[in-house]
Amino acid sequence: MTIADPEHPLYGISVAAQLTGMHPQSIRAYEDRGLLSPARTDGGTRRYSNGDIGRLHRIGGLLGDGLNLAGIEVVLALEAENQRLRAEIDALRGAPEDPAG
Amino acid sequence: MTIADPEHPLYGISVAAQLTGMHPQSIRAYEDRGLLSPARTDGGTRRYSNGDIGRLHRIGGLLGDGLNLAGIEVVLALEAENQRLRAEIDALRGAPEDPAG
DNA sequence: TGCACAATCACGCAGCGTGATGGTTT
DNA sequence: AAAACCATCACGCTGCGTGATTGTGC
């Protein structure tokens, strides 16, 4: 069931805009800054996955906190690394490998 | 030798400005934003430690990368947490508890 | 065929740097 | 008494949101 994959391309940009409360132009600007990389159709139209929507929500939260795009880029990278470090700690402690089972 | 303590208050704001290449007004603005908390004399004059200077250098680096103050606040917190997580991993791996011995 | 999309330009608002001012600490 | 400090105001520059435009994909 690849359709349930969080990275499966599902939405056009206007739907992504509705789901996130963002302006389509803003979403394109975030992509220009490298904050996300949605899939594209053969013709070049963007297709957003649920993972992309989640990432846009995180971006919107950080924007609401007053961060600019340069800061959001660094923060997202640090948060990803942080998550990886926490997983490593769990593994070293012998915790269950995957809480989602 | 408390004088060697990296948190020992040493410099006035103009010296801190020289050491970091920053404008004194900017340094005060960073403090207003909660990015650092230098010591104060009884009269209220700021005194910067070497730790404060290092933090200002890090702030300057992030500013050079285009981050705004809101982003720098989040990044510094994430970097501190990141460092703590790495130390925890080292400890779990049986590395020496304190490299400074 | 029509509607949504792509890419680009223009304008307005807010954050930040920095100079100026007047009073206080060292 | 002088020099450095404090806090605050004012102005200019830049990043970002967003509307308008013209052409293309679905």
Side-chain angles (χ1 to χ4, degrees), chain A residues 66 68 81 86 88 93, chain B residues 66 68 81-82 86 88 93:
Chain A
N68 64 10
E81 186 174 10
R86 289 179 187 280
E88 189 170 344
R93 282 186 173 146
Chain B
N68 64 10
E81 186 175 10
N82 202 290
R86 289 180 185 281
E88 189 169 345
R93 282 185 171 146

Side-chain angles (χ1 to χ4, degrees), chain A residues 63-83:
Chain A
L63 284 168
D65 291 339
L67 280 69
N68 64 10
L69 300 188
I72 291 173
E73 189 174 345
V74 177
V75 166
L76 290 178
L78 282 171
E79 285 182 344
E81 186 174 10
N82 201 289
Q83 191 171 354

Side-chain angles (χ1 to χ4, degrees), chain A residues 33 58 62 65-68 70-72 74-76 78-79 81-86 88-90 92-93, chain B residues 33 58 62 65-68 70-72 74-76 78-79 81-86 88-90 92-93:
Chain A
R33 277 302 287 265
R58 181 74 191 114
L62 292 169
D65 291 339
L67 280 69
N68 64 10
I72 291 173
V74 177
V75 166
L76 290 178
L78 282 171
E79 285 182 344
E81 186 174 10
N82 201 289
Q83 191 171 354
R84 191 181 55 75
L85 292 172
R86 289 179 187 280
E88 189 170 344
I89 288 173
D90 284 348
L92 284 170
R93 282 186 173 146
Chain B
R33 277 302 288 264
R58 180 75 189 115
L62 292 169
D65 290 339
L67 279 70
N68 64 10
I72 291 172
V74 177
V75 166
L76 291 179
L78 281 171
E79 285 181 344
E81 186 175 10
N82 202 290
Q83 191 171 353
R84 191 181 55 73
L85 291 171
R86 289 180 185 281
E88 189 169 345
I89 288 172
D90 284 347
L92 285 171
R93 282 185 171 146

Side-chain angles (χ1 to χ4, degrees), chain B residues 17-40:
Chain B
Q18 283 182 238
L19 291 173
T20 58
M22 288 166 170
H23 195 289
Q25 287 299 88
S26 299
I27 296 178
R28 294 193 185 101
Y30 306 154
E31 182 179 351
D32 290 342
R33 277 302 288 264
L35 298 184
L36 74 164
S37 296
R40 299 259 187 163

